[in-house]
Amino acid sequence: MNRARIVGVLACGVVACGGPDEPTDLRPAGPPEVLAVLISNDASGAGVDERATFCKLHDAKRPALVVADPDGPAQVCPDDLALGVPEADDAAPGTWYVRVQFDELLDPDRVETLVPIAGSTGAERGTLADTRPVTLTCGGAVIAYDGYYNPGGNSLTWPVGPSLYVAPLAGDAIATGTACELALAPAVVDKDGAAVPAAERGPYRFRIAPLALASTAPLADAPDAPAPPTTIAATSPATLTFNAAVDPASLPASALAIVEVADCAADPATGTPHPAVIAGDALDRRSLVVRAGDAADGAAWLPGKTFRISAAPGATVRDVAGGEGPLAVTICFATAP
C-alpha cells in the first residue's frame, strides 16, 4: 500500500492558512483540477500517515515519488500515469482525515474563513465551518466536519498541495469498516472564479479500517514461536488495545478463557480455570483490562502463578459506534510471588 507522511502543516489548524501565496510549481491556467485525494491511515493514532485513494490519470502534475518526506521518499501515486490506485480501505478509526490536492491555488475566501485564536493576540486559524466546501458522508449519513485550506506546496513537497484538509468532528462516532465519500461543492473555485469541473467533484470513496486488536500487555504469544512468559505484578491486569474506542460490554467474560497452567507449553485443558473480569480502561477508550475474578482484593491475579488468556473461537468485539471485529489472541504470562 502506498503510504506517506505529513509534518508541520498540521499546525494550519491552529494558525492562519490563508496567508500570502507561495511560489510553487502549479498550473494556474484553466479551472482547478483534482490531482490526488489522500486519507490518513496512521494505525498508531498519531495522524501522520497518508494514503492516496484517488490519483488523476494521465496528469504529469500529480504526486508520484515525493522525496521531500522527512522520513524518506514516499510514493503517493504510481510513476506510470496510466495507473490509478485502489480505493483506500484503512482510514485510521477515530483520527482520520481527508486531503484533496489541487493543481492551482483556490480562492481562499470561498473555501475558508479565518477566526481568531482565543488567548493569542492577532493569531488566526482557518476553518471550513462556514464555507462548507465539501460534503462528507459515511454509511450514507452526512458527517459534520471542519478543516482548513492549505495554499502551500505542490506535488514535490510534503504534504502535497495546495489542498483542502477535512476531518470529522466526531471520528469515534463513525463505525469501523464504514464506507465514506467526499464530494466537492461547486463553490470551490480558483482565483479567477473558475470552478472545479463537475466531473472532478467526486464523490471520492474510501473506507474506515475494520476493528482490530492493535496490541496487548503483556505481549501476545507468537503462534509459531512462543516466548518465555513475561513476569508481571499480581496487581497488574492484562490489557487489550484496539485501533478504535471499544464498547466494554461487547466482550462478555465467557469470550475469554483464563487458565492457570504449569507453564506456557502446557495443554490448557490440564490447567485450572479462573473466571474472567473485563472492563474498560479509564485512561484509554481503545483498551480493555482483564483480570481473574477470584484474585484477592486489590490484585488482578494470584501471585507466583502462570496464566494463559485466550479468546474463545468466534469471539468478537464492537467499537463504540457499533462496528464489529473478530478477536483471536493468546497471552501467557507469569505473576511475581
Side-chain angles (χ1 to χ4, degrees), residues 26-241:
L26 303 180
R27 184 169 53 198
E33 300 186 38
V34 176
L35 296 178
V37 179
L38 303 91
I39 57 94
S40 168
N41 66 340
D42 185 356
S44 73
V48 295
D49 285 348
E50 294 183 11
R51 172 188 176 184
T53 193
F54 167 80
C55 289
K56 187 179 180 184
L57 299 179
H58 308 295
D59 195 321
K61 287 292 186 181
R62 76 181 194 179
L65 182 65
V66 180
V67 297
D69 186 337
D71 294 321
Q75 193 77 33
V76 178
C77 297
D79 291 327
D80 187 341
L81 298 181
L83 298 178
V85 291
E87 177 184 312
D89 58 0
D90 58 350
T95 60
W96 59 269
Y97 57 83
V98 187
R99 182 182 305 283
V100 184
Q101 183 205 9
F102 302 89
D103 68 340
E104 65 167 310
L105 296 170
L106 303 178
D107 181 345
D109 296 330
R110 297 286 296 274
V111 295
E112 174 189 61
T113 55
L114 301 179
V115 296
I117 298 176
S120 299
T121 303
E124 297 176 310
R125 65 177 180 86
T127 176
L128 308 180
D130 298 324
T131 54
R132 319 310 297 167
V134 307
T135 298
L136 183 64
T137 61
C138 289
V142 176
I143 303 300
Y145 67 86
D146 201 354
Y148 55 84
Y149 166 55
N150 174 22
N154 55 29
S155 290
L156 302 176
T157 62
W158 194 257
V160 295
S163 65
L164 286 175
Y165 171 100
V166 180
L169 294 181
D172 283 346
I174 304 166
T176 52
T178 300
C180 298
E181 296 183 349
L182 179 144
L184 295 166
V188 178
V189 299
D190 65 13
K191 297 196 169 206
D192 297 322
V196 174
E200 297 189 24
R201 295 175 193 162
Y204 297 100
R205 298 179 174 89
F206 59 95
R207 187 176 290 271
I208 310 303
L211 184 63
L213 184 66
S215 64
T216 69
L219 291 176
D221 292 356
D224 300 325
T230 299
T231 299
I232 65 173
T235 54
S236 299
T239 303
L240 307 177
T241 300

Side-chain angles (χ1 to χ4, degrees), residues 181-326:
E181 296 183 349
L182 179 144
L184 295 166
V188 178
V189 299
D190 65 13
K191 297 196 169 206
D192 297 322
V196 174
E200 297 189 24
R201 295 175 193 162
Y204 297 100
R205 298 179 174 89
F206 59 95
R207 187 176 290 271
I208 310 303
L211 184 63
L213 184 66
S215 64
T216 69
L219 291 176
D221 292 356
D224 300 325
T230 299
T231 299
I232 65 173
T235 54
S236 299
T239 303
L240 307 177
T241 300
F242 298 83
N243 62 344
V246 290
D247 176 7
S250 69
L251 188 66
S254 60
L256 291 181
I258 298 177
V259 181
E260 179 188 330
V261 292
D263 57 62
C264 290
D267 183 349
T270 65
T272 303
H274 293 263
V277 176
I278 304 170
D281 188 323
L283 299 179
D284 186 354
R285 298 176 67 213
R286 301 173 303 155
S287 297
L288 300 176
V289 292
V290 181
R291 62 181 179 85
D294 54 359
D297 289 345
W301 316 100
L302 300 177
K305 305 292 184 180
T306 300
F307 291 94
R308 181 185 180 90
I309 302 175
S310 58
T316 62
V317 65
R318 291 191 303 274
D319 64 46
V320 294
E324 188 173 60

